[in-house]
Amino acid sequence: MSAPLKLSMKALAIVALISLFGCGSEKQRFPIEGEITLNGQAVKEGSIQFHPLAPSEGFLEGAIIKAGRYKIPAEKGLLAGKYQVLISSPDYKGKKPDPNEAPGAVYQARELIPEIYNTKSTLTVEVLPKGQNNFDFHLK
Amino acid sequence: MSNSPERRSKGFTLIELLVVIAIIAILIGLLLPAVQKVREAASKMKCQNNLKQLSLGFHSYHDVHKKLPPGMSPGTVNYGDLYCCWGTWQVAILPFIEQEAAFKIYQNYGGDDSTGPRYAAGVNLQVTQRRYQVLTCPTEDSPNAPLGGITSHNYAVNFGNTSIYQVPTITVGGVTVTFGEAPFKPNSGSPLTHITDGTSSTLLVAEVIQGQRADLRGFGWWGPATGFTTFAGPNSSTPDTPPQNCDANMPNPPCTTATAGNPTNQYARSKHTGGVNAGMVDGSIRFVTNNIAIATWRGMGSARGGEVIDGY
């Protein structure tokens, strides 16, 4: 093999290596999903938030709860680490405003979920760097 | 030699034609993504230009009034309606984005129900049913008018790092976020001298996505939709929490109705790839990626929080 050809092969190998590992510095996000029940019944609607306990690196991500399930896809997922969890569900108590009326007064729905699962949350989870993470919450 | 032209048939053979078509198809295939990218880049720039115009508008307003306009409504009377409906910053800025005529039509800016109509009544509809190009991002493929022909737009002002009504703290168990002041408050605007975190590291205005159907996100004539907070990051999967008319079906961003445990919020969102455009208080325009650490983004949202912000 001639010298210039050897050199070009080496260069090619280096380029291939860089393109393989070049994107390794990007933080990897992991998808999350699970189910949420309150007193044994699926939570109809609401939201879940995952607050990073290391906010200088992490992201706040979350999802809507629909028929007792939530799902955060990989592209919006969480970094590995510990999170404090908030779960919230609105309770309209028959006062839901008419969506076809020009809005005026600001309506405030009541909170259906006990505060030990939102403002005074005691729920903590650890996202593991293993692909799909499943967290089910059975609230009382 | 001399008779070969007669033996060759005129025109192309099928194979030749197919090869030519295949080559053209490959070329188009190569070209099309490039064209798409250029189009996206162009609309992103147009969007940034709108932000620049709005920032200049806010600075002109500041030159005249010595402070920024109120986010929702300058009224002092709180009818339990929390400054909802008598003219938001979108009205206040009109004379400074060359919409003087529209501003002159608008009645009762700075008033309340005892002094005149709301945004959705009387002559005010002539202003609020119009769509303003400088308030519309070209990546918004379906500009909406959710109720009575009144328009939604794509820009929201910075209400700080907690919630739209600026609760002093949001606590989630062991995590506490403390309100660090903001350039805009529901019923007042800050003088630039009060922004001690530095005008180049505090957000002024950013993008939001217009809700479709009756969803009121981006419905900036109405108080709770005029602002964004940095409680959650750009294009976060964290649902917005409007007080009413939440519609989380596609293509709307996620949302759930606000509650006592999860206060009213609207986050910066865009249809650009990988982040949102934002204007800083000093008038500079930045593209902030979705991967910004939440602590940094909240630091950019607060005006007097004293956070140290290095590169992002």
Side-chain angles (χ1 to χ4, degrees):
Chain A
M1 222 186 254
S2 68
L5 193 63
K6 258 186 190 165
L7 200 71
S8 63
M9 289 296 269
K10 263 184 198 164
L12 201 70
I14 288 168
V15 168
L17 266 174
I18 290 172
S19 56
L20 260 178
F21 296 105
C23 303
S25 63
E26 185 82 2
K27 296 169 186 167
Q28 204 191 342
R29 292 172 178 252
F30 298 97
I32 318 282
E33 66 173 283
E35 62 175 48
I36 299 173
T37 60
L38 179 65
N39 297 324
Q41 302 225 315
V43 174
K44 260 201 303 196
E45 65 164 297
S47 65
I48 183 166
Q49 295 174 0
F50 291 87
H51 290 262
L53 290 175
S56 56
E57 286 168 12
F59 318 116
L60 165 61
E61 298 291 354
I64 57 169
I65 303 166
K66 211 171 177 182
R69 290 204 67 81
Y70 73 94
K71 186 180 168 99
I72 306 175
E75 72 267 21
K76 299 271 183 182
L78 294 167
L79 304 180
K82 286 191 172 159
Y83 292 83
Q84 189 95 55
V85 181
L86 171 143
I87 297 171
S88 161
S89 176
D91 177 7
Y92 301 107
K93 282 270 185 273
K95 281 195 349 186
K96 207 168 180 173
D98 180 2
N100 297 313
E101 211 172 77
V106 172
Y107 172 79
Q108 175 84 63
R110 284 194 229 173
E111 179 61 61
L112 200 67
I113 309 285
E115 60 185 13
I116 53 161
Y117 304 121
N118 40 67
T119 52
K120 293 180 181 162
S121 175
T122 51
L123 301 171
T124 338
V125 296
E126 182 166 10
V127 175
L128 300 172
K130 59 160 192 183
Q132 178 84 40
N133 281 247
N134 284 295
F135 300 117
D136 295 343
F137 300 97
H138 301 289
L139 316 177
K140 277 176 222 145
Chain B
M1 264 288 200
S2 63
N3 64 354
S4 62
E6 277 103 331
R7 272 184 34 214
R8 264 191 86 124
S9 61
K10 284 188 181 166
F12 300 104
T13 67
L14 184 62
I15 300 294
E16 281 169 336
L17 212 63
L18 283 176
V19 166
V20 168
I21 289 171
I23 290 172
I24 290 172
I26 290 168
L27 284 178
I28 290 176
L30 285 175
L31 207 67
L32 222 58
V35 171
Q36 294 283 9
K37 268 204 185 118
V38 172
R39 278 171 56 107
E40 159 67 15
S43 61
K44 190 164 140 189
M45 273 174 77
K46 179 86 201 313
C47 210
Q48 292 182 333
N49 186 49
N50 287 349
L51 276 169
K52 189 80 184 178
Q53 297 299 326
L54 292 176
S55 301
L56 291 175
F58 281 121
H59 276 263
S60 307
Y61 183 100
H62 189 276
D63 285 347
V64 175
H65 299 273
K66 307 299 173 212
K67 53 183 168 185
L68 292 167
M72 294 185 193
S73 173
T76 48
V77 187
N78 180 346
Y79 286 101
D81 286 0
L82 300 170
Y83 321 110
C84 68
C85 309
W86 300 277
T88 64
W89 67 268
Q90 282 191 183
V91 174
I93 204 174
L94 287 174
F96 303 98
I97 52 173
E98 303 203 310
Q99 296 292 342
E100 181 81 40
F103 185 73
K104 281 188 174 145
I105 293 171
Y106 197 90
Q107 285 182 353
N108 201 27
Y109 174 72
D112 54 51
D113 279 352
S114 68
T115 55
R118 291 184 170 196
Y119 71 96
V123 291
N124 289 351
L125 284 170
Q126 291 175 32
V127 178
T128 55
Q129 286 180 336
R130 274 194 59 192
R131 181 166 302 288
Y132 299 87
Q133 286 310 317
V134 70
L135 292 168
T136 308
C137 182
T139 46
E140 184 60 70
D141 33 30
S142 44
N144 192 23
L147 302 166
I150 303 169
T151 48
S152 292
H153 288 97
N154 288 108
Y155 300 100
V157 295
N158 177 11
F159 272 53
N161 56 349
T162 56
S163 76
I164 292 292
Y165 289 105
Q166 305 182 328
V167 295
T169 55
I170 294 182
T171 307
V172 179
V175 176
T176 299
V177 180
T178 307
F179 181 59
E181 295 296 321
F184 295 89
K185 289 190 165 192
N187 68 336
S188 67
S190 167
L192 293 188
T193 48
H194 282 200
I195 297 166
T196 51
D197 280 359
T199 52
S200 64
S201 53
T202 304
L203 292 158
L204 183 73
V205 52
E207 290 179 84
V208 291
I209 292 177
Q210 296 179 25
Q212 297 301 309
R213 300 173 289 275
D215 190 286
L216 297 175
R217 280 171 284 176
F219 192 62
W221 307 110
W222 175 60
T226 57
F228 73 96
T229 77
T230 57
F231 184 68
N235 293 314
S236 174
S237 59
T238 310
D240 292 320
T241 38
Q244 63 182 80
N245 289 34
C246 156
D247 177 346
N249 294 317
M250 291 300 278
N252 285 350
C255 68
T256 176
T257 304
T259 68
N262 194 9
T264 301
N265 246 326
Q266 178 170 262
Y267 307 121
R269 298 182 190 280
S270 85
K271 292 181 179 172
H272 308 296
T273 322
V276 297
N277 289 315
M280 311 303 285
V281 178
D282 70 350
S284 60
I285 309 299
R286 291 166 187 246
F287 186 73
V288 183
T289 77
N290 296 343
N291 285 336
I292 186 171
I294 189 61
T296 311
W297 179 243
R298 284 176 185 156
M300 288 163 72
S302 77
R304 296 170 75 85
E307 306 88 350
V308 178
I309 294 169
D310 52 354
Y312 53 89

